[in-house]
Amino acid sequence: MKREIERMEVQDFFHVPVLSGQVIEGLAVRPDGHYLDATVGGGGHSRLILEAAPDVRVTAIDQDEDALAAAQKILGAFGERVKFIHSNFAAYDFPLSKYTGIIADLGVSSHHLDTSERGFSFRAPANLDMRMNRRQSLTAADVINDWDEAELANIFFQYGEERLSRRIARRIVQQRPFHMTTELAEAIASCVPPKYRYGRIHPATRVFQALRIVVNNELKSLETFLSKAPNALVPGGKIAIISFHSLEDRIVKHSFKDSPFLQVLTKKPIEAQEEEIVNNPRARSAKLRIAERVEEQ
């Protein structure tokens, strides 16, 4: 029975790769090239890289074991051309001057949002979890129930860009403990003005983003990754990063610009065309930036 459940989880892992054509074009995939997919997810971008030119190899890493298992299944036909590693991209031991290209697709996948028990979404009741790597201890419930009001208000404002952060933090502290995603979302909705409550996005959206960033230490991990990744590229190698909110995109933009090892190839981020957005609404907020490894100055 356990094996059957595991098989279902792998098959159910679903993530539509965004800006896939632009990524392959931007990486300029070469025959015999060796590429690092730092967030392999469901394997969509890696598959396209492996199909783009003969004898291409990919090192595929992900901190989510479900994602890695799904990628192993989806990319199994490529055999030894793919090497899989369970790791957060910030903790990965980058080899010097090894990769022809590096791709990272940041943020939460379709699978994470659609699999309610992971706790990333408030569309269905689930434990307040939000861990990408379920081996770590800190969960969203720990943050919501244990952190003080000022800390909560700060992370909602800083990582969720939530202008009602103090009001929301006060209500959470008054009503906690919270254990379920829907309970937290309802408490947030109940304390904001009606025009905010019934706006274009649910009033809990930014809070949930902030919690996910904190639980997974996403921004610090991204900074660490971007400080180490350029050294792993061969001269002329490309790095392509897809981000989904302004905090990530700002870090990528400045890291590329400030790196002595990179030349920026995208003055403005590449965004999805309307046709892709129609087929995959989550592509609407995607921004792709690309840079090239240069010789040291």
Side-chain angles (χ1 to χ4, degrees):
M1 182 65 179
K2 180 181 178 184
R3 192 168 295 173
E4 190 68 29
I5 292 171
E6 289 173 346
R7 185 158 57 245
M8 287 171 60
E9 287 177 349
V10 170
Q11 290 172 343
D12 289 345
F13 195 103
F14 178 70
H15 181 57
V16 179
V18 302
L19 298 169
S20 54
Q22 295 91 325
V23 166
I24 299 304
E25 181 181 352
L27 288 175
V29 179
R30 308 177 195 171
D32 299 316
H34 189 177
Y35 293 82
L36 173 69
D37 190 339
T39 54
V40 67
H45 285 116
S46 279
R47 179 177 59 81
L48 294 171
I49 290 169
L50 289 159
E51 292 173 345
D55 301 320
V56 170
R57 291 171 294 143
V58 167
T59 295
I61 67 178
D62 206 290
Q63 63 179 328
D64 188 316
E65 291 175 297
D66 287 354
L68 211 58
Q72 287 172 322
K73 182 179 179 67
I74 291 166
L75 303 175
F78 296 98
E80 295 183 356
R81 291 171 61 192
V82 190
K83 179 183 179 182
F84 298 96
I85 298 172
H86 178 231
S87 176
N88 180 294
F89 60 13
Y92 177 61
D93 187 13
F94 284 87
L96 291 175
S97 303
K98 181 171 183 177
Y99 296 116
T100 321
I102 297 172
I103 168 70
D105 182 355
L106 307 175
V108 65
S109 73
S110 306
H111 169 80
H112 291 125
L113 291 171
D114 295 338
T115 306
S116 59
E117 60 264 29
R118 298 297 297 270
F120 289 98
S121 171
F122 45 79
R123 290 183 301 214
N127 290 329
L128 277 165
D129 192 327
M130 299 194 192
R131 292 172 297 170
M132 292 285 189
N133 182 352
R134 286 185 282 189
R135 295 185 183 184
Q136 76 173 47
S137 59
L138 183 69
T139 68
D142 295 329
V143 176
I144 285 295
N145 294 320
D146 298 340
W147 291 23
D148 67 34
E149 184 178 322
E151 287 177 309
L152 292 177
N154 183 53
I155 65 168
F156 298 159
F157 183 78
Q158 185 177 355
Y159 300 136
E161 299 176 297
E162 173 54 70
R163 63 186 182 87
L164 298 178
S165 59
R166 291 181 181 177
R167 179 190 296 210
I168 292 169
R170 189 178 312 119
R171 177 58 61 91
I172 287 171
V173 170
Q174 289 170 348
Q175 295 190 353
R176 65 189 185 187
F178 293 95
H179 301 291
M180 305 299 288
T181 54
T182 46
E183 292 172 350
L184 178 60
E186 288 166 6
I188 294 167
S190 71
C191 77
V192 300
K195 68 174 184 178
Y196 198 73
R197 189 180 312 160
Y198 304 111
R200 186 175 60 85
I201 66 169
H202 192 284
T205 301
R206 295 184 180 92
V207 169
F208 271 63
Q209 173 183 296
L211 286 171
R212 194 199 77 224
I213 288 172
V214 167
V215 167
N216 297 288
N217 199 22
E218 290 181 18
L219 300 185
K220 182 61 178 177
S221 293
L222 177 59
E223 290 173 354
T224 301
F225 164 71
L226 289 169
S227 71
K228 297 194 293 186
N231 291 309
L233 287 167
V234 299
K238 312 290 197 304
I239 179 169
I241 310 292
I242 302 171
S243 61
F244 289 88
H245 57 74
S246 59
L247 299 174
E248 291 174 335
D249 182 58
R250 197 175 302 132
I251 291 171
V252 176
K253 175 183 177 180
H254 290 295
S255 293
F256 279 6
K257 180 183 176 183
D258 296 341
S259 173
F261 308 110
L262 295 176
Q263 177 182 350
V264 176
L265 301 181
T266 48
K267 290 184 178 179
K268 293 185 177 180
I270 299 169
E271 300 182 359
Q273 300 298 307
E274 193 60 35
E275 181 181 354
E276 180 176 2
I277 294 170
V278 169
N279 294 323
N280 181 15
R282 288 173 185 153
R284 184 180 300 277
S285 57
K287 289 180 168 53
L288 169 65
R289 293 187 186 271
I290 304 168
E292 179 177 339
R293 176 72 155 89
V294 296
E295 298 286 357
E296 293 187 48
Q297 301 298 317

